[in-house]
Amino acid sequence: MSLSQRNLALLLIAPGLALVAALFIYPLSFSLISAFTGPEGGFSLQAFGKAWELYSGDVVFTVVIVLASCLFTAIAAIVIAGTLTLGENPYIVGTLKALYRWPLFIPFIVAAQCMRTFLAKNGLMNNSFVSLGLMEPLQAVSFLDWRGIIATFVWKQTPFVALLLAGALASIDRATLEAGRNLGASRLRVMIELALPQVMPTLLVALVLSFVTMLSVLSVPMMVAGSQPTMLTVDMAFRINAYGDYATANALGVITYLISAGAAIIYLKRGMAKEGTP
């Protein structure tokens, strides 16, 4: 490659590099410096000590909520993708295909407001059960807590995971699946023992991306639950808006980076293993 071609290539990628530097590298660097800087200006872990003292329970709560949401999302996505791929009832398959992708186009803040209306004590779900005679009005309870957060995350992220998983399942050699069916295996067994192991890399990548997405959402825990314990995004917003405490907020951000890094390591290892990189 000649010098002019190299310069032209650098010129073409310069806008992208500038965007990454302005919107990712600079904020990340600022957060790291602020988190590790003490009140006197030197290196200090005081912000991390304060963050852990005040919000260690929320760190555990955040990880548990996101992992549980990923688990239920995986189960729901496997059911949907398996039905779309192996289903034999054209009415069920057609209806599911037309409906399951709708939450993809709904922002998280709108999803949170929908769940507030649906899961409240006098919300649509409880009122429907009362109207059907399945429960008494006094038995109605609110699900606007950790259960509501998980329900919102699962409802919002399942279409994304199911879409990727259904595409991977559709690319599998059908002869293998048909051989299992011919030997008497049920559709569930064919899905679990034959199809799912072949698309596990795709499922894992989709769940890692969903994990990072759910970890970064502010609107859902703030609007759906709004009580303690809560997720780290709410804690960060509270430290900044209520106290102007950027150091503690950035320390919580670094903790979130580390949690995300664990998911990123899984993602990268899976990618390298798939490509045969040692």
Side-chain angles (χ1 to χ4, degrees):
M1 180 183 292
S2 64
L3 181 61
S4 59
Q5 290 176 323
R6 185 179 296 108
N7 291 335
L8 179 60
L10 292 175
L11 183 63
L12 291 174
I13 66 174
L17 292 176
L19 192 64
V20 171
L23 298 182
F24 177 72
I25 296 178
Y26 171 73
L28 176 60
S29 302
F30 178 82
S31 298
L32 292 174
I33 293 172
S34 175
F36 287 99
T37 302
E40 293 78 18
F43 176 82
S44 173
L45 296 177
Q46 181 177 341
F48 287 93
K50 185 177 181 180
W52 187 256
E53 179 183 355
L54 295 176
Y55 302 113
S56 58
D58 289 350
V59 173
V60 177
F61 178 81
T62 298
V63 173
V64 171
I65 287 293
V66 176
L67 288 177
S69 300
C70 286
L71 174 62
F72 291 120
T73 297
I75 294 173
I78 290 171
V79 172
I80 292 174
T83 302
L84 293 175
T85 307
L86 303 176
E88 298 178 355
N89 188 315
Y91 176 77
I92 295 178
V93 173
T95 303
L96 187 60
K97 187 180 296 184
L99 296 178
Y100 86 97
R101 285 173 288 190
W102 287 9
L104 279 173
F105 307 99
I106 300 177
F108 272 104
I109 189 170
V110 178
Q113 181 58 38
C114 291
M115 286 299 175
R116 283 184 61 87
T117 305
F118 184 73
L119 298 175
K121 185 174 182 179
N122 294 317
L124 178 62
M125 181 181 69
N126 286 330
N127 286 337
S128 298
F129 288 156
V130 171
S131 299
L132 294 173
L134 300 177
M135 63 184 298
E136 297 296 328
L138 294 178
Q139 295 175 322
V141 295
S142 173
F143 287 86
L144 297 180
D145 49 21
W146 61 270
R147 295 168 294 184
I149 298 176
I150 293 177
T152 306
F153 281 153
V154 172
W155 181 72
K156 184 69 177 67
Q157 287 301 119
T158 294
F160 170 74
V161 179
L163 187 63
L164 296 180
L165 193 60
L169 287 172
S171 65
I172 294 178
D173 184 8
R174 300 290 297 185
T176 305
L177 307 183
E178 293 298 332
R181 292 289 287 154
N182 292 336
L183 291 174
S186 63
R187 287 196 298 271
L188 179 61
R189 187 173 180 182
V190 168
M191 178 65 187
I192 295 176
E193 297 185 6
L194 296 179
L196 195 57
Q198 300 183 60
V199 298
M200 190 58 69
T202 300
L203 177 61
L204 182 59
V205 169
L207 291 178
V208 168
L209 296 177
S210 296
F211 179 92
V212 176
T213 299
M214 292 184 286
L215 191 64
S216 65
V217 173
L218 171 63
S219 56
V220 172
M222 181 175 288
M223 295 176 63
V224 173
S227 60
Q228 291 294 330
T230 188
M231 296 183 68
L232 291 180
T233 50
V234 178
D235 293 331
M236 285 186 276
F238 176 74
R239 295 307 303 181
I240 293 174
N241 295 330
Y243 299 104
D245 186 0
Y246 284 89
T248 304
N250 286 322
L252 292 172
V254 172
I255 294 173
T256 305
Y257 292 149
L258 294 177
I259 297 172
S260 300
I265 290 172
I266 297 175
Y267 176 83
L268 293 175
K269 281 189 174 182
R270 173 60 63 177
M272 290 187 294
K274 188 176 181 180
E275 295 174 3
T277 305

